[in-house]
Amino acid sequence: MKACYPGTFDPITKGHLDIIERAASIFDQVDVLLMVNPRKKCVFDAEERKTMIEKSLESIGSPANVRVVIGEGLTVEFAKKIGAKAIVRGIRAVTDYEYELQQATANMMLGPDIETMFLIAKPEYSFLSSSVVKEIALNDGDISAMVPEGAAEDIKAKLRGMADVLK
Ligand code: ADP
């Protein structure tokens, strides 16, 4: 069965990568869906985010059943288009649940044949978010433990540049 894992990944964190790895061990194929939403302000552009996800995948041995796809519009419509039967999402805490429940219920109405399936974050990643990574890196903090090895340098370089501009 094919699944997709949609998200913004601005940037990818170890928490995201863990969800990808676990989903890849359950499903035959996992398409990481980098959803581009023009109303969402991102630090990294779509190509940069895609490259960072691909470099991160290399650091876990490039699983053969995972690929990264850039998409836009409604996730559920994109899932239908690529033939995914499941939408994978990660849940860190109760605060994620409320938002995720709303999205999953809307997706259920739009695409009743597609199941949203939740994977619970590993405890060591349950505090981790792209925003936390950006905030720490912008303030010259060490993000090495939070982002995949393959992507750390790209993330640091970009945010270091931005920190200089903001100073
Ligand atoms: P979105 O804007 O679609 O929420 P994100 O890139 O922030 O995109 O997150 C994509 C998915 O990954 C969401 O389901 C989110 O809950 C999940 N996620 C984010 N951080 C983590 C983490 N540290 N551990 C597990 N899941 C996570």
Side-chain angles (χ1 to χ4, degrees):
M1 191 196 285
K2 183 176 190 170
C4 62
Y5 175 39
T8 309
F9 309 108
D10 184 48
I12 184 168
T13 68
K14 281 194 177 175
H16 292 132
L17 187 61
D18 180 58
I19 297 288
I20 297 172
E21 205 172 7
R22 285 160 60 196
S25 74
I26 300 170
F27 296 99
D28 299 314
Q29 173 70 35
V30 175
D31 283 6
V32 179
L33 266 191
L34 180 56
M35 292 305 286
V36 177
N37 178 351
R39 284 175 303 284
K40 236 179 207 174
K41 259 189 97 186
C42 287
V43 166
F44 299 90
D45 68 33
E47 282 305 327
E48 285 173 326
R49 284 179 276 153
K50 182 170 188 262
T51 304
M52 289 189 294
I53 300 171
E54 281 166 350
K55 284 186 179 177
S56 304
L57 289 172
E58 279 169 28
S59 66
I60 56 163
S62 303
N65 61 340
V66 180
R67 64 175 186 150
V68 189
V69 182
I70 296 178
E72 59 186 340
L74 290 174
T75 301
V76 77
E77 293 304 331
F78 206 84
K80 283 182 201 166
K81 204 162 75 184
I82 60 173
K85 296 292 285 176
I87 295 174
V88 172
R89 296 282 289 177
I91 290 206
R92 287 160 291 186
V94 181
T95 39
D96 277 344
Y97 178 73
E98 237 177 296
Y99 171 75
E100 294 293 341
L101 178 66
Q102 197 178 40
Q103 297 290 316
T105 308
N107 286 340
M108 199 183 275
M109 292 169 76
L110 295 170
D113 296 338
I114 299 178
E115 287 292 346
T116 299
M117 304 187 67
F118 296 109
L119 296 183
I120 302 300
K122 277 206 184 135
E124 60 264 45
Y125 301 140
S126 63
F127 73 98
L128 195 50
S129 67
S130 300
S131 326
V132 163
V133 165
K134 283 182 279 197
E135 196 57 37
I136 294 173
L138 267 173
N139 289 288
D140 291 329
D142 186 8
I143 55 164
S144 319
M146 301 172 191
V147 297
E149 231 174 81
E153 270 322 305
D154 288 0
I155 298 171
K156 285 184 202 163
K158 174 113 183 187
L159 293 172
R160 218 180 289 130
M162 293 189 66
D164 288 344
V165 172
L166 294 174
K167 264 176 201 164

